Amino acid sequence: MTNNQTPSTYATLKDNTPFNQFFPDNQVPIVSLIPTIPALGAPECYVIDPKHLTKEQITGLAKLVYQKWKPECTSLEMAIQSVESGFPLNCEYFSGVTTEDLAEFMKLVD
C-alpha cells in the first residue's frame, strides 16, 4: 500500500479472476460499498481505491488494462493513470464487500 492507513472498505475477489495475482489475500481496497456504472450500458463496478495500492499493484493492473483495452487504451502510461484515478472492476469478479467505516455502512441503510 502506498500509505500507512489500512483500508476500511474492501471487496473480496472470487477465486480464479484475472486480478487474484495482484491481490494474494483476495482483498481489494475499494472507494465505496455502493457499486457504480462507469459508462452507459456498462455493468456495475466497484472502484479500486488507488491510495491503498502498491506501486507493483498499480503497474501490474495497468499492464493488464493496457493489454485488454487496446486500442482504446493507447499506452501503458494511460493505463497507469487510469488505475491511479480509481479503476472500476466489474462486480462479477467479487463475492462480497465489507467495511469498518460507519459512514460508509450508513450509505447502505439510508
Side-chain angles (χ1 to χ4, degrees), residues 2-27:
T2 57
N3 67 24
N4 294 331
Q5 184 181 8
T6 302
S8 59
T9 305
Y10 58 91
T12 303
L13 284 168
K14 293 178 181 175
D15 291 334
N16 301 317
T17 77
F19 306 100
N20 296 88
Q21 62 185 316
F22 308 114
F23 302 97
D25 62 356
N26 289 348
Q27 302 301 307

PDB file of all heavy atoms in Angstrom, residues 2-27:
ATOM      1  N   THR A   2       0.386   2.285  -0.579  1.00  0.00           N
ATOM      2  CA  THR A   2       1.196   3.479  -0.698  1.00  0.00           C
ATOM      3  C   THR A   2       1.119   4.361   0.533  1.00  0.00           C
ATOM      4  O   THR A   2       1.889   5.275   0.673  1.00  0.00           O
ATOM      5  CB  THR A   2       0.770   4.300  -1.932  1.00  0.00           C
ATOM      6  OG1 THR A   2      -0.620   4.617  -1.817  1.00  0.00           O
ATOM      7  CG2 THR A   2       1.036   3.544  -3.201  1.00  0.00           C
ATOM      8  N   ASN A   3       0.198   4.096   1.451  1.00  0.00           N
ATOM      9  CA  ASN A   3       0.176   4.856   2.691  1.00  0.00           C
ATOM     10  C   ASN A   3       0.112   3.890   3.860  1.00  0.00           C
ATOM     11  O   ASN A   3      -0.025   2.694   3.689  1.00  0.00           O
ATOM     12  CB  ASN A   3      -0.976   5.862   2.709  1.00  0.00           C
ATOM     13  CG  ASN A   3      -2.352   5.199   2.749  1.00  0.00           C
ATOM     14  OD1 ASN A   3      -2.504   4.069   3.192  1.00  0.00           O
ATOM     15  ND2 ASN A   3      -3.347   5.905   2.284  1.00  0.00           N
ATOM     16  N   ASN A   4       0.204   4.422   5.068  1.00  0.00           N
ATOM     17  CA  ASN A   4       0.231   3.571   6.251  1.00  0.00           C
ATOM     18  C   ASN A   4      -1.147   3.195   6.752  1.00  0.00           C
ATOM     19  O   ASN A   4      -1.269   2.360   7.631  1.00  0.00           O
ATOM     20  CB  ASN A   4       1.019   4.271   7.370  1.00  0.00           C
ATOM     21  CG  ASN A   4       2.480   4.432   7.016  1.00  0.00           C
ATOM     22  OD1 ASN A   4       3.019   3.624   6.273  1.00  0.00           O
ATOM     23  ND2 ASN A   4       3.101   5.461   7.518  1.00  0.00           N
ATOM     24  N   GLN A   5      -2.163   3.830   6.245  1.00  0.00           N
ATOM     25  CA  GLN A   5      -3.515   3.575   6.711  1.00  0.00           C
ATOM     26  C   GLN A   5      -4.070   2.311   6.062  1.00  0.00           C
ATOM     27  O   GLN A   5      -3.981   2.113   4.859  1.00  0.00           O
ATOM     28  CB  GLN A   5      -4.392   4.772   6.373  1.00  0.00           C
ATOM     29  CG  GLN A   5      -5.796   4.663   6.898  1.00  0.00           C
ATOM     30  CD  GLN A   5      -6.633   5.864   6.504  1.00  0.00           C
ATOM     31  OE1 GLN A   5      -6.204   6.695   5.713  1.00  0.00           O
ATOM     32  NE2 GLN A   5      -7.822   5.941   7.045  1.00  0.00           N
ATOM     33  N   THR A   6      -4.663   1.452   6.880  1.00  0.00           N
ATOM     34  CA  THR A   6      -5.296   0.238   6.373  1.00  0.00           C
ATOM     35  C   THR A   6      -6.636   0.608   5.763  1.00  0.00           C
ATOM     36  O   THR A   6      -7.376   1.405   6.343  1.00  0.00           O
ATOM     37  CB  THR A   6      -5.508  -0.754   7.534  1.00  0.00           C
ATOM     38  OG1 THR A   6      -4.238  -1.033   8.119  1.00  0.00           O
ATOM     39  CG2 THR A   6      -6.139  -2.039   7.050  1.00  0.00           C
ATOM     40  N   PRO A   7      -6.968   0.033   4.613  1.00  0.00           N
ATOM     41  CA  PRO A   7      -8.269   0.361   4.025  1.00  0.00           C
ATOM     42  C   PRO A   7      -9.391  -0.134   4.933  1.00  0.00           C
ATOM     43  O   PRO A   7      -9.304  -1.189   5.543  1.00  0.00           O
ATOM     44  CB  PRO A   7      -8.265  -0.384   2.690  1.00  0.00           C
ATOM     45  CG  PRO A   7      -7.254  -1.451   2.846  1.00  0.00           C
ATOM     46  CD  PRO A   7      -6.241  -0.945   3.824  1.00  0.00           C
ATOM     47  N   SER A   8     -10.440   0.640   5.010  1.00  0.00           N
ATOM     48  CA  SER A   8     -11.564   0.242   5.850  1.00  0.00           C
ATOM     49  C   SER A   8     -12.690  -0.371   5.028  1.00  0.00           C
ATOM     50  O   SER A   8     -13.597  -0.970   5.580  1.00  0.00           O
ATOM     51  CB  SER A   8     -12.083   1.439   6.643  1.00  0.00           C
ATOM     52  OG  SER A   8     -12.502   2.463   5.773  1.00  0.00           O
ATOM     53  N   THR A   9     -12.636  -0.220   3.720  1.00  0.00           N
ATOM     54  CA  THR A   9     -13.670  -0.757   2.836  1.00  0.00           C
ATOM     55  C   THR A   9     -12.982  -1.570   1.743  1.00  0.00           C
ATOM     56  O   THR A   9     -12.089  -1.070   1.076  1.00  0.00           O
ATOM     57  CB  THR A   9     -14.510   0.385   2.225  1.00  0.00           C
ATOM     58  OG1 THR A   9     -15.035   1.191   3.294  1.00  0.00           O
ATOM     59  CG2 THR A   9     -15.650  -0.156   1.383  1.00  0.00           C
ATOM     60  N   TYR A  10     -13.404  -2.810   1.608  1.00  0.00           N
ATOM     61  CA  TYR A  10     -12.782  -3.645   0.590  1.00  0.00           C
ATOM     62  C   TYR A  10     -13.759  -4.692   0.071  1.00  0.00           C
ATOM     63  O   TYR A  10     -14.779  -4.992   0.693  1.00  0.00           O
ATOM     64  CB  TYR A  10     -11.493  -4.291   1.095  1.00  0.00           C
ATOM     65  CG  TYR A  10     -11.660  -5.147   2.324  1.00  0.00           C
ATOM     66  CD1 TYR A  10     -11.929  -6.508   2.213  1.00  0.00           C
ATOM     67  CD2 TYR A  10     -11.543  -4.608   3.600  1.00  0.00           C
ATOM     68  CE1 TYR A  10     -12.074  -7.301   3.340  1.00  0.00           C
ATOM     69  CE2 TYR A  10     -11.692  -5.396   4.727  1.00  0.00           C
ATOM     70  CZ  TYR A  10     -11.958  -6.744   4.583  1.00  0.00           C
ATOM     71  OH  TYR A  10     -12.115  -7.524   5.701  1.00  0.00           O
ATOM     72  N   ALA A  11     -13.430  -5.218  -1.091  1.00  0.00           N
ATOM     73  CA  ALA A  11     -14.218  -6.274  -1.727  1.00  0.00           C
ATOM     74  C   ALA A  11     -13.351  -7.530  -1.799  1.00  0.00           C
ATOM     75  O   ALA A  11     -12.136  -7.441  -1.933  1.00  0.00           O
ATOM     76  CB  ALA A  11     -14.646  -5.848  -3.124  1.00  0.00           C
ATOM     77  N   THR A  12     -13.997  -8.677  -1.707  1.00  0.00           N
ATOM     78  CA  THR A  12     -13.304  -9.955  -1.758  1.00  0.00           C
ATOM     79  C   THR A  12     -13.430 -10.545  -3.155  1.00  0.00           C
ATOM     80  O   THR A  12     -14.543 -10.771  -3.641  1.00  0.00           O
ATOM     81  CB  THR A  12     -13.888 -10.927  -0.717  1.00  0.00           C
ATOM     82  OG1 THR A  12     -13.797 -10.320   0.574  1.00  0.00           O
ATOM     83  CG2 THR A  12     -13.137 -12.244  -0.724  1.00  0.00           C
ATOM     84  N   LEU A  13     -12.288 -10.776  -3.785  1.00  0.00           N
ATOM     85  CA  LEU A  13     -12.277 -11.375  -5.115  1.00  0.00           C
ATOM     86  C   LEU A  13     -12.718 -12.838  -5.053  1.00  0.00           C
ATOM     87  O   LEU A  13     -12.359 -13.565  -4.120  1.00  0.00           O
ATOM     88  CB  LEU A  13     -10.873 -11.342  -5.716  1.00  0.00           C
ATOM     89  CG  LEU A  13     -10.366 -10.018  -6.255  1.00  0.00           C
ATOM     90  CD1 LEU A  13      -8.867 -10.121  -6.542  1.00  0.00           C
ATOM     91  CD2 LEU A  13     -11.121  -9.602  -7.498  1.00  0.00           C
ATOM     92  N   LYS A  14     -13.438 -13.262  -6.065  1.00  0.00           N
ATOM     93  CA  LYS A  14     -13.715 -14.685  -6.231  1.00  0.00           C
ATOM     94  C   LYS A  14     -12.401 -15.357  -6.628  1.00  0.00           C
ATOM     95  O   LYS A  14     -11.457 -14.694  -7.078  1.00  0.00           O
ATOM     96  CB  LYS A  14     -14.746 -14.907  -7.347  1.00  0.00           C
ATOM     97  CG  LYS A  14     -16.123 -14.381  -7.013  1.00  0.00           C
ATOM     98  CD  LYS A  14     -17.051 -14.598  -8.203  1.00  0.00           C
ATOM     99  CE  LYS A  14     -18.437 -14.057  -7.923  1.00  0.00           C
ATOM    100  NZ  LYS A  14     -19.307 -14.160  -9.112  1.00  0.00           N
ATOM    101  N   ASP A  15     -12.354 -16.665  -6.491  1.00  0.00           N
ATOM    102  CA  ASP A  15     -11.171 -17.400  -6.937  1.00  0.00           C
ATOM    103  C   ASP A  15     -11.083 -17.361  -8.454  1.00  0.00           C
ATOM    104  O   ASP A  15     -12.093 -17.268  -9.148  1.00  0.00           O
ATOM    105  CB  ASP A  15     -11.242 -18.860  -6.474  1.00  0.00           C
ATOM    106  CG  ASP A  15     -11.096 -18.987  -4.966  1.00  0.00           C
ATOM    107  OD1 ASP A  15     -10.478 -18.099  -4.354  1.00  0.00           O
ATOM    108  OD2 ASP A  15     -11.613 -19.974  -4.407  1.00  0.00           O
ATOM    109  N   ASN A  16      -9.868 -17.416  -8.954  1.00  0.00           N
ATOM    110  CA  ASN A  16      -9.594 -17.541 -10.392  1.00  0.00           C
ATOM    111  C   ASN A  16     -10.084 -16.372 -11.235  1.00  0.00           C
ATOM    112  O   ASN A  16     -10.613 -16.562 -12.324  1.00  0.00           O
ATOM    113  CB  ASN A  16     -10.166 -18.857 -10.933  1.00  0.00           C
ATOM    114  CG  ASN A  16      -9.569 -20.052 -10.227  1.00  0.00           C
ATOM    115  OD1 ASN A  16      -8.367 -20.100 -10.000  1.00  0.00           O
ATOM    116  ND2 ASN A  16     -10.404 -20.995  -9.841  1.00  0.00           N
ATOM    117  N   THR A  17      -9.884 -15.147 -10.756  1.00  0.00           N
ATOM    118  CA  THR A  17     -10.130 -13.973 -11.590  1.00  0.00           C
ATOM    119  C   THR A  17      -8.789 -13.521 -12.157  1.00  0.00           C
ATOM    120  O   THR A  17      -7.738 -13.927 -11.650  1.00  0.00           O
ATOM    121  CB  THR A  17     -10.769 -12.805 -10.796  1.00  0.00           C
ATOM    122  OG1 THR A  17      -9.756 -12.168 -10.014  1.00  0.00           O
ATOM    123  CG2 THR A  17     -11.929 -13.265  -9.936  1.00  0.00           C
ATOM    124  N   PRO A  18      -8.786 -12.681 -13.160  1.00  0.00           N
ATOM    125  CA  PRO A  18      -7.508 -12.173 -13.673  1.00  0.00           C
ATOM    126  C   PRO A  18      -6.770 -11.278 -12.681  1.00  0.00           C
ATOM    127  O   PRO A  18      -5.624 -10.922 -12.911  1.00  0.00           O
ATOM    128  CB  PRO A  18      -7.910 -11.359 -14.908  1.00  0.00           C
ATOM    129  CG  PRO A  18      -9.323 -11.655 -15.180  1.00  0.00           C
ATOM    130  CD  PRO A  18      -9.931 -12.228 -13.948  1.00  0.00           C
ATOM    131  N   PHE A  19      -7.439 -10.926 -11.582  1.00  0.00           N
ATOM    132  CA  PHE A  19      -6.871  -9.962 -10.649  1.00  0.00           C
ATOM    133  C   PHE A  19      -6.306 -10.579  -9.379  1.00  0.00           C
ATOM    134  O   PHE A  19      -5.656  -9.886  -8.600  1.00  0.00           O
ATOM    135  CB  PHE A  19      -7.937  -8.913 -10.304  1.00  0.00           C
ATOM    136  CG  PHE A  19      -8.510  -8.286 -11.538  1.00  0.00           C
ATOM    137  CD1 PHE A  19      -9.732  -8.711 -12.034  1.00  0.00           C
ATOM    138  CD2 PHE A  19      -7.815  -7.320 -12.235  1.00  0.00           C
ATOM    139  CE1 PHE A  19     -10.260  -8.163 -13.194  1.00  0.00           C
ATOM    140  CE2 PHE A  19      -8.324  -6.770 -13.399  1.00  0.00           C
ATOM    141  CZ  PHE A  19      -9.548  -7.192 -13.880  1.00  0.00           C
ATOM    142  N   ASN A  20      -6.516 -11.861  -9.151  1.00  0.00           N
ATOM    143  CA  ASN A  20      -6.008 -12.521  -7.939  1.00  0.00           C
ATOM    144  C   ASN A  20      -4.491 -12.419  -7.825  1.00  0.00           C
ATOM    145  O   ASN A  20      -3.968 -12.334  -6.715  1.00  0.00           O
ATOM    146  CB  ASN A  20      -6.429 -13.989  -7.896  1.00  0.00           C
ATOM    147  CG  ASN A  20      -7.916 -14.155  -7.804  1.00  0.00           C
ATOM    148  OD1 ASN A  20      -8.580 -14.200  -8.825  1.00  0.00           O
ATOM    149  ND2 ASN A  20      -8.449 -14.229  -6.601  1.00  0.00           N
ATOM    150  N   GLN A  21      -3.803 -12.394  -8.950  1.00  0.00           N
ATOM    151  CA  GLN A  21      -2.343 -12.320  -8.923  1.00  0.00           C
ATOM    152  C   GLN A  21      -1.836 -11.023  -8.281  1.00  0.00           C
ATOM    153  O   GLN A  21      -0.739 -10.984  -7.747  1.00  0.00           O
ATOM    154  CB  GLN A  21      -1.782 -12.462 -10.332  1.00  0.00           C
ATOM    155  CG  GLN A  21      -2.232 -11.353 -11.276  1.00  0.00           C
ATOM    156  CD  GLN A  21      -1.778 -11.553 -12.699  1.00  0.00           C
ATOM    157  OE1 GLN A  21      -0.634 -11.916 -12.931  1.00  0.00           O
ATOM    158  NE2 GLN A  21      -2.673 -11.322 -13.648  1.00  0.00           N
ATOM    159  N   PHE A  22      -2.655  -9.980  -8.297  1.00  0.00           N
ATOM    160  CA  PHE A  22      -2.253  -8.695  -7.731  1.00  0.00           C
ATOM    161  C   PHE A  22      -2.701  -8.532  -6.273  1.00  0.00           C
ATOM    162  O   PHE A  22      -2.215  -7.653  -5.578  1.00  0.00           O
ATOM    163  CB  PHE A  22      -2.820  -7.541  -8.557  1.00  0.00           C
ATOM    164  CG  PHE A  22      -2.509  -7.671 -10.019  1.00  0.00           C
ATOM    165  CD1 PHE A  22      -3.512  -7.867 -10.940  1.00  0.00           C
ATOM    166  CD2 PHE A  22      -1.192  -7.641 -10.474  1.00  0.00           C
ATOM    167  CE1 PHE A  22      -3.232  -8.005 -12.286  1.00  0.00           C
ATOM    168  CE2 PHE A  22      -0.900  -7.782 -11.819  1.00  0.00           C
ATOM    169  CZ  PHE A  22      -1.924  -7.962 -12.727  1.00  0.00           C
ATOM    170  N   PHE A  23      -3.648  -9.380  -5.858  1.00  0.00           N
ATOM    171  CA  PHE A  23      -4.197  -9.312  -4.510  1.00  0.00           C
ATOM    172  C   PHE A  23      -4.181 -10.718  -3.914  1.00  0.00           C
ATOM    173  O   PHE A  23      -5.192 -11.420  -3.917  1.00  0.00           O
ATOM    174  CB  PHE A  23      -5.625  -8.751  -4.540  1.00  0.00           C
ATOM    175  CG  PHE A  23      -5.711  -7.393  -5.171  1.00  0.00           C
ATOM    176  CD1 PHE A  23      -6.069  -7.245  -6.502  1.00  0.00           C
ATOM    177  CD2 PHE A  23      -5.411  -6.251  -4.431  1.00  0.00           C
ATOM    178  CE1 PHE A  23      -6.136  -5.995  -7.093  1.00  0.00           C
ATOM    179  CE2 PHE A  23      -5.478  -4.996  -5.008  1.00  0.00           C
ATOM    180  CZ  PHE A  23      -5.840  -4.864  -6.349  1.00  0.00           C
ATOM    181  N   PRO A  24      -3.013 -11.172  -3.412  1.00  0.00           N
ATOM    182  CA  PRO A  24      -2.863 -12.553  -2.943  1.00  0.00           C
ATOM    183  C   PRO A  24      -3.841 -12.944  -1.835  1.00  0.00           C
ATOM    184  O   PRO A  24      -4.203 -14.111  -1.720  1.00  0.00           O
ATOM    185  CB  PRO A  24      -1.432 -12.625  -2.441  1.00  0.00           C
ATOM    186  CG  PRO A  24      -0.750 -11.405  -2.908  1.00  0.00           C
ATOM    187  CD  PRO A  24      -1.785 -10.408  -3.306  1.00  0.00           C
ATOM    188  N   ASP A  25      -4.296 -11.975  -1.053  1.00  0.00           N
ATOM    189  CA  ASP A  25      -5.271 -12.284   0.001  1.00  0.00           C
ATOM    190  C   ASP A  25      -6.709 -12.115  -0.489  1.00  0.00           C
ATOM    191  O   ASP A  25      -7.652 -12.233   0.291  1.00  0.00           O
ATOM    192  CB  ASP A  25      -5.017 -11.431   1.239  1.00  0.00           C
ATOM    193  CG  ASP A  25      -5.155  -9.933   0.977  1.00  0.00           C
ATOM    194  OD1 ASP A  25      -5.373  -9.526  -0.188  1.00  0.00           O
ATOM    195  OD2 ASP A  25      -5.043  -9.150   1.940  1.00  0.00           O
ATOM    196  N   ASN A  26      -6.875 -11.823  -1.780  1.00  0.00           N
ATOM    197  CA  ASN A  26      -8.175 -11.619  -2.439  1.00  0.00           C
ATOM    198  C   ASN A  26      -8.931 -10.397  -1.930  1.00  0.00           C
ATOM    199  O   ASN A  26     -10.099 -10.216  -2.258  1.00  0.00           O
ATOM    200  CB  ASN A  26      -9.064 -12.860  -2.349  1.00  0.00           C
ATOM    201  CG  ASN A  26      -8.567 -13.982  -3.218  1.00  0.00           C
ATOM    202  OD1 ASN A  26      -7.690 -13.792  -4.061  1.00  0.00           O
ATOM    203  ND2 ASN A  26      -9.089 -15.173  -3.023  1.00  0.00           N
ATOM    204  N   GLN A  27      -8.287  -9.539  -1.149  1.00  0.00           N
ATOM    205  CA  GLN A  27      -8.921  -8.342  -0.615  1.00  0.00           C
ATOM    206  C   GLN A  27      -8.497  -7.128  -1.439  1.00  0.00           C
ATOM    207  O   GLN A  27      -7.323  -6.790  -1.487  1.00  0.00           O
ATOM    208  CB  GLN A  27      -8.542  -8.135   0.851  1.00  0.00           C
ATOM    209  CG  GLN A  27      -8.897  -9.299   1.743  1.00  0.00           C
ATOM    210  CD  GLN A  27     -10.378  -9.623   1.726  1.00  0.00           C
ATOM    211  OE1 GLN A  27     -11.211  -8.761   1.946  1.00  0.00           O
ATOM    212  NE2 GLN A  27     -10.698 -10.880   1.462  1.00  0.00           N
TER     213      GLN A  27
END
